[in-house]
Amino acid sequence: MIASESLFIAVASWATIVFILVSNVENMILVTAISERPSPELEAKALLQTEWWSNEYNSSSPCKWPGVTCNHAGRATDIVLRFYEHEMYNRRREFGKFNFSSFPNLARLSLVGLGLVGHIPAEISTLSKLTHLDLSANELTGQLTLSLTSLPWLKIILI
C-alpha cells in the first residue's frame, strides 16, 4: 500500500513539473509571437523581396506604393498588380518569394500577368483573411494545395 502511494505521489509530482514546464514554454512562444508581429516596415521589406516593385519604393510603408491598399492601421489588405500597369511585366518572378506570414490582414491578392513562375506554395493558406486570389495569365505549375480548403470564402482565378 505504501509503495503504491509513493508511486502515485511521484507520478503526480512528475506530471505537475511537466505541466509547469509546458505552460512556461507556451507562454514564451505566445510572447515571442506577439512581439514579432509583422509591421508595415516588415511588409515593405517582404514586398521588396518579391522583386515586384523596383527599389525606388523603399519607404517604410507600402501603403503609397502602386497596387497596395492598406487599412486604417497602415497594414496591407489588398495587393493588386496587373502586367499592363506594372513596370516589370516582361520579367519572370518566383511566386515563392512572397512571404505570406508578413501579411496577416491581406484579403485580396491579384497578380495578373506578372510572369510568375513556379508553384503556388502551401503557405498561402496562412492568409486567413484572404477572400480573393487572382493569379491568371502567369506561368504557374503544379496543383493547388489542399490547404486552401481552410479558406472557405476564397474565390480563386487561375485562367
Side-chain angles (χ1 to χ4, degrees), residues 4 11-12 15 34 38 53 63 65 79 92 101 107 134 143 145 154-155 158:
S4 63
V11 169
I34 290 171
W53 287 267
C63 298
W65 297 9
I79 298 173
R92 299 286 179 247
S101 64
D134 188 347
Q143 298 179 352
T145 175
L154 181 61
K155 177 183 175 185
L158 297 174

Side-chain angles (χ1 to χ4, degrees), residues 18-33:
V18 168
F19 176 77
I20 290 170
L21 287 173
V22 169
S23 296
N24 286 336
V25 168
E26 287 176 349
N27 286 338
M28 288 183 340
I29 290 170
L30 181 59
V31 167
T32 301

Side-chain angles (χ1 to χ4, degrees), residues 119-135:
H119 66 284
I120 300 172
E123 293 82 15
I124 198 166
S125 65
T126 63
L127 299 174
S128 61
K129 296 181 181 178
L130 193 65
T131 59
H132 183 89
L133 176 64
D134 188 347
L135 300 173

